[in-house]
Amino acid sequence: MKVRFARATEFQKELTARVKEYFEANGLPERGLVRMYLKTLVILGWFAASYVALVFFSTAWWAGLLLAVSCGLAVAGIGMAIQHDGCHGGYSNRRWMNYAAGFCMDGVGASSYYWRWKHNVFHHTYTNVTGADDDLETGGLGRLSPLQRRRRIHRVQHLYYWFFYAFLVAKWHLLDDFLCLIKRRVGPHHVPRPRGRDLFVFVGGKLLFATVVFVIPSFFHPFWLVLLFYGAAVAVTGFVLSLVFQLAHCMPEAEFPEAIGDPAQIKEEWMVHQLNTTVDFAPRNWLLTWYVGGLNYQIEHHLFPKVCHVHYPAISKVVREVCEKFEVPYRAHRTFFSAVRSHFRLLRDLGKNDFDQAPTQA
Ligand SMILES: [Zn+2]
């Protein structure tokens, strides 16, 4: 499925120029920052310490459970604050370093090759466009867009849909990557099978993951216990990743524009489309900003995905100013919990009502 956007206007030109100016005026590199390399060490160290303690030293069940949760949180951190920048080319100016940062995702079980297609191409280009953005696909289990069909079960989706968030990552690990490989598809899109280096990374990543997560621990613990702690860790990772991404787009404040015509066309230019479909949250929460790799500043991320996430708080000021000048809406929740409440409201409203347009605004 191909969707076209309207031509770029002065807004897009000025916003791009002003952000470029910010980096030049402050003499800052857009990526390749020492603080990112240190952050990488901290997060990988956190995962390694939790894993070693869990597999080799933990004897009590409650300590094991706490360490599995810690592993799950660290893996979500690897996803949001290391591989995400790497896969976008925003980690370093060197291609191999971006690739290596992206490989962290393969190492923790999910294919960075398919992620690049799903996320960089389909989600970032066609954000919140029903039928083209793979992040809206639920297989009928939930209704995340007013343009999706409403089923009876969706009436209570605000109560049950959270439960599926916990399965997101296990599904990637054990099912989705292999289905993509077999079917050569991601949702409605054709995706070629990985070849050469990409195939090597796909297979190598799955083998490394299986060795670290299942083979090594089963030398020291019964296999059912290994599976149980894998389940606990991966549920935490899945829940955190789903929630962070849902709070940026599946919100009552975000729009779900319809692509009309043949070829399908969105009436706004691409950057305005990103602002219409994306919401920031908790911008002043520095600890959250650190942990989620700036994904609480998804507006800035969607506008400038190749800029390293540590710059998002600073360039958000520029983005707000330009939006104000051109009267383009800039949507942000002050806190994490107000964003969670808003997402709950969207699930509830979409489950109970048919809408021509996005439901209640905050
Ligand atoms: Zn992204």
Side-chain angles (χ1 to χ4, degrees):
M1 184 174 178
K2 274 234 156 75
V3 178
R4 292 185 183 176
F5 293 88
R7 265 175 186 278
T9 65
E10 273 310 305
F11 170 74
Q12 190 153 321
K13 287 175 200 156
E14 179 156 342
L15 183 52
T16 312
R18 287 276 307 276
V19 168
K20 197 170 166 226
E21 227 172 77
Y22 163 81
F23 285 107
E24 283 168 2
N26 293 288
L28 293 169
E30 291 185 21
R31 59 197 80 80
L33 295 124
V34 174
R35 61 190 273 207
M36 264 305 278
Y37 304 144
L38 291 175
K39 183 170 182 174
T40 304
L41 288 179
V42 170
I43 296 174
L44 291 179
W46 170 15
F47 172 71
S50 307
Y51 174 83
V52 167
L54 173 62
V55 175
F56 303 106
F57 297 104
S58 163
T59 47
W61 69 267
W62 57 269
L65 197 60
L66 282 177
L67 288 164
V69 169
S70 178
C71 277
L73 290 173
V75 169
I78 291 171
M80 295 183 290
I82 305 172
Q83 76 79 20
H84 185 227
D85 282 71
C87 284
H88 275 296
Y91 186 86
S92 165
N93 287 315
R94 297 194 179 102
R95 266 191 83 175
W96 72 266
M97 283 192 85
N98 285 322
Y99 211 80
F103 180 71
C104 288
M105 184 171 196
D106 297 271
V108 292
S111 163
S112 60
Y113 174 80
Y114 284 115
W115 168 267
R116 277 195 289 269
W117 278 100
K118 273 185 219 202
H119 180 78
N120 292 16
V121 181
F122 306 134
H123 170 64
H124 268 263
T125 314
Y126 311 124
T127 315
N128 273 14
V129 177
T130 311
D133 180 353
D134 191 58
D135 284 14
L136 294 174
E137 297 306 316
T138 67
L141 292 173
R143 185 178 186 234
L144 300 181
S145 152
L147 298 173
Q148 287 170 330
R149 210 183 109 206
R150 192 163 66 84
R151 297 165 196 253
R152 277 175 77 88
I153 192 169
H154 298 155
R155 286 191 153 272
V156 285
Q157 67 170 3
H158 56 297
L159 304 175
Y160 73 77
Y161 199 66
W162 308 82
F163 178 72
F164 291 116
Y165 292 160
F167 290 92
L168 174 89
V169 172
K171 193 165 153 279
W172 278 348
H173 285 170
L174 308 171
L175 194 67
D176 287 358
D177 285 343
F178 299 104
L179 285 180
C180 291
L181 191 72
I182 294 164
K183 293 183 177 174
R184 297 191 211 181
R185 300 196 76 78
V186 169
H189 309 276
H190 171 78
V191 170
R193 285 186 181 137
R195 292 193 305 178
R197 185 176 63 175
D198 289 328
L199 182 62
F200 179 75
V201 166
F202 182 92
V203 176
K206 291 290 179 197
L207 288 176
L208 177 65
F209 164 73
T211 307
V212 169
V213 173
F214 299 117
V215 179
I216 295 175
S218 56
F219 281 112
F220 302 92
H221 307 281
F223 195 62
W224 64 268
L225 199 62
V226 174
L227 283 183
L228 198 71
F229 284 144
Y230 163 72
V234 88
V236 170
T237 310
F239 191 80
V240 171
L241 291 182
S242 300
L243 194 59
V244 168
F245 281 97
Q246 294 293 58
L247 296 187
H249 304 293
C250 283
M251 299 290 276
E253 298 81 12
E255 294 175 19
F256 295 85
E258 194 169 0
I260 297 167
D262 187 16
Q265 171 96 28
I266 296 285
K267 73 177 192 318
E268 301 288 0
E269 62 184 302
W270 184 78
M271 274 195 168
V272 172
H273 175 82
Q274 297 305 323
L275 278 146
N276 286 342
T277 54
T278 312
V279 181
D280 282 3
F281 60 89
R284 294 199 184 150
N285 188 335
W286 64 267
L287 186 62
L288 185 88
T289 303
W290 184 89
Y291 174 60
V292 304
L295 288 175
N296 52 335
Y297 286 91
Q298 285 245 14
I299 290 176
E300 290 68 24
H301 170 59
H302 269 258
L303 294 171
F304 302 101
K306 285 181 188 295
V307 168
C308 180
H309 75 253
V310 299
H311 294 304
Y312 296 162
I315 64 172
S316 73
K317 295 184 184 79
V318 181
V319 176
R320 276 176 188 266
E321 277 171 28
V322 180
C323 283
E324 212 165 291
K325 181 177 166 187
F326 286 83
E327 294 180 348
V328 174
Y330 181 102
R331 296 146 168 129
H333 274 277
R334 282 167 60 86
T335 67
F336 171 73
F337 288 107
S338 81
V340 172
R341 277 197 297 274
S342 220
H343 177 57
F344 175 86
R345 208 166 52 240
L346 179 94
L347 289 177
R348 187 194 60 199
D349 291 353
L350 281 179
K352 291 191 173 165
N353 304 305
D354 291 313
F355 294 99
D356 291 332
Q357 275 304 311
T360 50
Q361 299 289 307

